[in-house]
Structures are given as C-alpha cells and as structure tokens.
Amino acid sequence: MDNTTPQEPNVSDEASADRRRISRKGLLKAAIVASAAPLLAGGGVALARDAAPDGAALLAPTPECDDGDDTTPPQMEGPYFKPNSPRRTSLVTPSTPGVPLTVSGYVFGRACRPISGALLDFWQADTNGSYDMAQFAFRGHQFTGADGSFTLTTIVPGLYPGRTRHIHVKAQAPGGRILTTQLYFPGEPRNNTDALFDPELLMNVRTVGNGRQGTFDFVLDVAQTPGPTDPPTDPPTDPPGGTWTPGTSYRAGDRVTYGGVAYRCRQAHRSITGWEPPNVPALWERG
C-alpha cells in the first residue's frame, strides 16, 4: 500500500495572512458569482468531457481554491490536511452515519486527453461538520485508471461555521505540480456567503435512492497535443441505439429515439436522468 502524499510548496507568512482575511467585498463577490457556473441545457454543470469532445480545443485548468484559514503558514491546504492518508477509494463503512455520496469523473490534461495514474487525495468533514485529526477518518488517496477515471465513495460532508459544504482534494499528474482545490455542491444556501466558493468547482449532483451521486472532471495544467480522440467514457456492453436510456455510454454520431422522435448524439457522454435528448441540445440534435 502506497501512503505517500506530496506536500505543497512553501508560501510566505504574509501571503497566508492575506488569504485569512475575508472581506465584505469577497463576500459580495461570492454572492455574485454563485450562479455563474457554465451550464448544460437542462440544468447540469458543464463537464470537461463535454467541452472539448474532439480534442480540438484546449481546456482551462481546474482553478485552485485555498481555504483562507490556514493555521500553519507554509501550508496552502488549510488546517485540516494530514499527509500520508491511506490509499483507498471508499472513506466509509456500511455503518457510517450520513447521506451516502459517490463522486466520479475523469482527470484530463489541457487537450482533453485522460491522465492515467494521476493522484487524487481527498479529505472532508463528517456528517456533523468535524474533521478527524487523530486518525484518518474521511481521508484517502487514489490513482486514476488507464482511462483517467476515478470514483470516491463517501458521505455528504456536514457544515461548520464560516463555510459552505465542500470536499477537499489534491490532484497531481505523474511528475506534475500539485493542485490543491475543493469541490462544491449546487443549491447550497451558503454558496452565496462563502467568500472561497467558486462556481467553476461545482459538481453535478443528483439524488439516487437514499443517497447522492456527484460528477466532476479535473483539468490539470498539463500540456497535451490536441487530437481527434474522444474523451473516455465507460465502454458500452452493446452498441448504443434504439430508445434513449439513462446509464448508457453514447458516442458522437449515435442515433436514438425518445418520445417517438429521432436524435443524433453531438458529444460523447454517459447519460443520466434529466439529460433526456429534448432537454440537452448541447448533447443531442434532432435528425
């Protein structure tokens, strides 16, 4: 088991102090940008795999989001980070209290090509808003698969004073620099008052049974040569076609019917409820 977790480069005491000061201007900015995230028609947040399906355009890197409340100035990850987290994809057991949450997605470079073996180190609060500093509860790192994919099994983190609901993460391509950032939940009231909230870090989140499923694609600042390769999706067991169904991996050019109308897939994606063809013209066109 590999428990090595990279450390973030040192920063000055003065810079850390600046980050700790949350101004009224910052709070107002957070309120203004709370609804500024790029959206797909139908209400979902745009994913990297949808933004450049043919690899012809360069993607913007995932932004950093500092805690702003560092207690140890040389660290940028905030007071609750611990190195050497265990390597695991699940942070919970069947008896862990809280709302079950699965977060999945991909790690890409700038040309929308997947990065295999990328490190993702997650940590978060428990359902009561507390961080475990004695052990490694709700902490763990993993590496992306050959297709750049990752899956995290956890719970919806609780709230604590001054912050909206969030999950911390460090992301690093093999041999690359470390990105320290956070993932946010849509529709949270505190998104409008948290000065650190960034709408570009919103996950797509939907309710499934008694739990929730989130999706997010990281884009690391790794130079790649643009090419015609579509972004990865889970390989379909059967060629897509026929009637549109959720949970199916569609590729550009696939044809389906929905409500008696024929549609052609415009961008490779994995379908979910709410992304029916008439609701998302960014993904489907009639014909």
Side-chain angles (χ1 to χ4, degrees):
M1 180 177 294
D2 182 2
N3 290 341
T4 302
T5 304
Q7 295 292 312
E8 187 75 358
N10 288 352
V11 296
S12 68
D13 291 2
E14 180 179 357
S16 294
D18 287 342
R19 284 196 304 275
R20 285 196 295 270
R21 289 193 285 268
I22 300 178
S23 65
R24 182 172 180 272
K25 179 179 179 182
L27 292 172
L28 290 174
K29 178 183 177 183
I32 292 172
V33 303
S35 61
L39 301 176
L40 289 172
V45 178
L47 297 171
R49 73 193 82 160
D50 302 316
D54 58 1
L58 294 180
L59 301 177
T62 300
E64 295 201 38
C65 187
D66 181 34
D67 278 329
D69 57 351
D70 304 23
T71 57
T72 305
Q75 295 185 342
M76 293 182 66
E77 60 271 338
Y80 304 122
F81 174 73
K82 287 182 64 177
N84 302 318
S85 68
R87 181 175 177 178
R88 57 191 179 190
T89 59
S90 176
L91 309 184
V92 297
T93 67
S95 61
T96 301
V99 177
L101 170 69
T102 300
V103 179
S104 61
Y106 297 92
V107 176
F108 296 108
R110 295 291 304 275
C112 200
R113 292 177 178 269
I115 299 177
S116 64
L119 169 74
L120 293 172
D121 192 359
F122 296 96
W123 71 102
Q124 66 170 81
D126 63 17
T127 191
N128 297 315
S130 298
Y131 287 83
D132 175 21
M133 300 303 295
Q135 301 295 327
F136 288 94
F138 296 107
R139 301 173 185 274
H141 73 274
Q142 60 178 279
F143 297 90
T144 56
D147 61 352
S149 65
F150 72 92
T151 300
L152 176 72
T153 303
T154 182
I155 61 165
V156 175
L159 294 167
Y160 59 90
R163 293 304 316 277
T164 190
R165 213 176 298 275
H166 62 281
I167 296 175
H168 297 269
V169 59
K170 284 179 176 287
Q172 181 185 29
R177 65 181 295 273
I178 301 168
L179 170 71
T180 302
T181 192
Q182 301 177 40
L183 301 180
Y184 294 99
F185 294 75
E188 289 289 329
R190 290 193 187 182
N191 289 351
N192 294 329
T193 57
D194 188 330
L196 306 176
F197 170 76
D198 189 331
E200 292 187 45
L201 296 169
L202 279 169
M203 295 183 286
N204 276 312
V205 180
R206 64 186 184 120
T207 299
V208 179
N210 65 343
R212 304 179 79 182
Q213 291 182 353
T215 53
F216 188 86
D217 292 344
F218 294 93
V219 179
L220 301 184
D221 196 6
V222 174
Q224 296 174 313
T225 302
T229 304
D230 283 342
T233 57
D234 295 336
T237 55
D238 296 305
T243 303
W244 180 92
T245 54
T248 302
S249 294
Y250 290 106
R251 298 178 179 178
D254 288 341
R255 296 182 180 275
V256 300
T257 58
Y258 184 84
V261 179
Y263 294 89
R264 186 182 68 85
C265 181
R266 303 181 63 183
Q267 300 186 35
H269 67 284
R270 186 173 178 83
S271 60
I272 64 174
T273 301
W275 288 10
E276 292 81 2
N279 297 334
V280 279
L283 300 179
W284 296 98
E285 65 180 356
R286 283 175 174 253

